[in-house]
Amino acid sequence: MPRLVVVSNRVADPRKTAAGGLAVALADVLNNTGGLWFGWSGKIVEPSAGGRAVEGELRTQQAGPVKLVTLDLSREDHDAYYVGYSNGVLWPVFHYRLDLADFDAGYIAGYRRVNQLFARKLQPLLRGDDIIWVHDYHLIPLAAELRALGCTQRIGFFLHIPLPPPLILAAIPGHDWLIRALFAYDLVGFQSEADHGHFCRYVEAEARAQNVGEGRWRAFNRTIQAGAFPIGLDVEEFNALATAPDARDMCERMRREYSRRKLLVGVDRLDYSKGLPQRLRAFRELLQRYPETHNSATLIQIASPSREDVSAYTDILHELESLCGSINGNYGELEWMPVRYIHRTVARSRLPGLYRASRVALVTPLRDGMNLVAKEFIASQDPLDPGVLVLSRFAGAAEQLKEALLVNPYDVEATANAIHLALQMPLEERRARHQALMANIREYDVHWWCDAFLDALVKAQAEETGTPWLRL
Ligand code: GDG
């Protein structure tokens, strides 16, 4: 395997398990190939008095055999590329929320500028036979910018968030530019068959691309490969976390504290895509419809702070506070608080304990690329007495986790009924469902995802049938 170069907005040290997610997933292959991970440092450099900030200075850190290379951004670039275009346009539109998108014309120029900066800084660090894997919506045009600098290496792109249907995508000014940029890659990967389907329909209808079979599409004088590669969990790493003292202690304390109650859990970044207000309304409906849940059902909702510089996030924060207050005010008793809402980040080492102590998990996003919390909940359960997963049909995970109780989160009544069913579910059925779910997350774990994507990337060299029309 040639050297792997990973590019993503943020970089993490793969040696630290607290990093979780992508870092753990990519650790093996980065270590084995002496890889390089490139991205933004997370730091903003302010302009010095009277001048522009010096951005783009590279900082290199060695993490075992892996090189972590990061750069700072100027305030202006950060605001346009990160806050403006990535999180103010692409995130809402890709989650079907045109109403929340801010199509300020200045943002796209900043997005492009930072992608060019990344390309300019990365190109001199590359070797001829590197395999480059670019992650997520912040960096869609990166391959096109690298190609413009003469890079011929194999480059793959994975989109962690959903891709909406063609007519929603087409609402983005410059959508054709974005999708053309994808044709600079050799392989483009999505979380689900649904998202992959949206890509196929878009390129056929809007880009007049030709389907040449086996997931290959020809347009702009290039033939590229596309497919679904659902991301998974590092089940072993998560099991190790679940059996470590922090998680066990958390589980025991929760079980003791809630011994006379049935615990429900939600763990999300505070984001409008996660369907938190709808979830709380469904929980309120449960309390309304099923009086036997009083003094018993207790929802612990962790909403970890995220992107607080984007205004839509302040709105949802206020809505949640008000809903929790009214549920506790109307249904609470002196000795029972129905909702415990925590707007803070909980240590990763304690999460498996919280999941394991809960009878039901509510994972009910309005739209989600995959949703790893659903898989973490399954992995944390006691197979002899497992909890039940209530999962939105609009999470990418619903394509795989068919034995969960699938719900439409917009339908508050039906969701309340499903939660009730979950709370009542007999042990035999809980075990059978959990066994099937566990088999799925074990088979399609994060190593499967990583290997499947990289195997496909190694095989998928784009063909050029003329001068590629990738000028952006
Ligand atoms: C994007 C896509 C896709 C949450 N609260 C706390 C905490 N978390 C951890 C969870 C989980 C992760 O954050 C969240 O992952 P998700 O997959 O649910 O969602 P996004 O952050 O939106 O991620 C998503 C994912 O990329 C991967 O491709 O699945 O669809 O939107 O691991 O446990 N961790 C800690 N404290 C918290 O309070 N430590």
Side-chain angles (χ1 to χ4, degrees):
M1 174 84 187
R3 180 174 78 153
L4 177 67
V5 175
V6 173
V7 192
S8 57
N9 179 55
R10 295 299 303 275
V11 170
D13 186 334
R15 291 169 307 179
K16 299 186 179 148
T17 49
L22 200 57
V24 179
L26 297 170
D28 282 355
V29 54
L30 278 170
N31 280 326
N32 295 343
T33 66
L36 186 150
W37 193 341
F38 185 93
W40 173 40
S41 61
K43 293 202 185 76
I44 299 170
V45 281
E46 299 293 348
S48 53
R52 266 181 69 85
V54 191
E55 64 177 1
E57 212 168 287
L58 294 186
R59 225 165 290 149
T60 305
Q61 201 191 324
Q62 201 69 40
V66 183
K67 236 190 203 123
L68 308 176
V69 182
T70 55
L71 49 76
D72 301 340
L73 291 178
S74 71
R75 167 74 55 194
E76 193 188 345
D77 279 356
H78 166 264
D79 289 357
Y81 148 81
Y82 183 71
V83 184
Y85 202 72
S86 298
N87 290 329
V89 176
L90 297 179
W91 178 273
V93 175
F94 280 29
H95 287 88
Y96 300 51
R97 292 299 301 271
L98 286 173
D99 58 318
L100 294 178
D102 175 4
F103 294 118
D104 185 311
Y107 297 155
I108 196 162
Y111 180 70
R112 168 130 202 235
R113 209 163 51 235
V114 171
N115 272 274
Q116 279 170 335
L117 175 71
F118 267 47
R120 241 183 9 255
K121 295 291 176 175
L122 175 61
Q123 188 257 343
L125 309 179
L126 294 175
R127 298 179 193 151
D129 64 344
D130 281 342
I131 292 269
I132 306 168
W133 189 356
V134 178
H135 290 264
D136 234 359
Y137 57 103
H138 315 85
L139 299 172
I140 293 172
L142 185 65
E145 300 296 356
L146 285 169
R147 302 281 184 226
L149 299 175
C151 293
T152 53
Q153 289 88 344
R154 218 152 294 187
I155 316 182
F157 177 77
F158 184 76
L159 184 67
H160 288 258
I161 66 174
L163 189 80
L167 281 181
I168 294 184
L169 203 54
I172 302 179
H175 60 96
D176 42 347
W177 172 86
L178 273 176
I179 300 298
R180 189 165 80 235
L182 286 178
F183 277 79
Y185 291 95
D186 296 280
L187 171 67
V188 177
F190 301 95
Q191 294 273 28
S192 65
E193 283 304 340
D195 296 336
H196 176 216
H198 294 153
F199 171 80
C200 298
R201 274 168 46 211
Y202 178 97
V203 295
E204 202 159 32
E206 300 275 340
R208 303 257 170 273
Q210 200 187 338
N211 182 351
V212 292
E214 296 180 342
R216 295 174 68 71
W217 290 93
R218 181 174 301 149
F220 315 114
N221 285 341
R222 275 173 67 86
T223 305
I224 63 157
Q225 181 85 40
F229 301 87
I231 197 167
L233 195 67
D234 189 328
V235 178
E236 298 309 320
E237 185 252 356
F238 213 78
N239 277 342
L241 211 59
T243 49
D246 267 11
R248 293 192 15 197
D249 177 57
M250 179 77 177
C251 182
E252 273 160 33
R253 276 197 294 139
M254 285 292 158
R255 283 197 172 141
R256 220 176 312 131
E257 170 125 11
Y258 293 97
S259 57
R260 291 184 303 113
R261 319 253 185 246
K262 281 185 175 166
L263 210 54
L264 299 99
V265 68
V267 176
D268 307 77
R269 279 188 307 100
L270 202 162
D271 191 287
Y272 48 80
S273 64
K274 303 292 181 185
L276 295 171
Q278 288 79 357
R279 183 181 307 169
L280 284 166
R281 284 191 206 105
F283 185 66
R284 182 174 63 192
E285 185 69 21
L286 172 86
L287 300 177
Q288 172 71 32
R289 285 179 162 231
Y290 301 101
E292 75 270 23
T293 57
H294 294 193
N295 250 316
S296 170
T298 305
L299 170 62
I300 297 189
Q301 177 63 57
I302 315 279
S304 50
S306 140
R307 302 184 196 149
E308 293 185 322
D309 40 4
V310 179
S311 65
Y313 291 75
T314 334
D315 296 345
I316 195 137
L317 181 68
H318 292 144
E319 193 180 356
L320 281 178
E321 285 170 354
S322 137
L323 269 165
C324 292
S326 84
I327 295 173
N328 284 336
N330 288 322
Y331 293 93
E333 308 274 349
L334 278 175
E335 67 284 14
W336 172 63
M337 192 157 52
V339 183
R340 292 192 58 188
Y341 164 71
I342 297 157
H343 177 48
R344 273 195 313 277
T345 300
V346 171
R348 187 172 152 77
S349 59
R350 300 172 76 186
L351 281 181
L354 177 60
Y355 292 137
R356 195 174 172 104
S358 303
R359 172 51 63 85
V360 176
L362 303 182
V363 181
T364 54
L366 303 179
R367 196 58 71 177
D368 218 326
M370 174 55 58
N371 196 300
L372 290 175
V373 171
K375 298 186 175 183
E376 291 170 1
F377 176 76
I378 297 166
S380 307
Q381 296 309 299
D382 172 358
L384 297 177
D385 185 17
V388 181
L389 175 63
V390 174
L391 177 64
S392 163
R393 55 175 298 184
F394 304 126
E399 268 187 16
Q400 298 175 294
L401 306 180
K402 299 223 183 335
E403 292 79 10
L405 291 183
L406 295 184
V407 296
N408 167 8
Y410 293 96
D411 187 339
V412 166
E413 284 181 15
T415 306
N417 289 340
I419 300 173
H420 188 243
L421 202 67
L423 287 168
Q424 307 278 315
M425 192 177 283
L427 179 63
E428 279 314 301
E429 185 176 351
R430 284 192 277 126
R431 279 191 188 157
R433 285 180 186 263
H434 177 258
Q435 202 179 11
L437 291 167
M438 199 61 212
N440 188 293
I441 66 165
R442 269 194 199 287
E443 182 170 358
Y444 299 103
D445 70 354
V446 80
H447 303 294
W448 172 89
W449 171 74
C450 204
D451 293 349
F453 187 92
L454 289 174
D455 277 358
L457 180 55
V458 167
K459 289 185 196 129
Q461 184 140 42
E463 282 160 29
E464 295 188 349
T465 40
T467 309
W469 195 61
L470 296 174
R471 212 159 37 82
L472 295 179

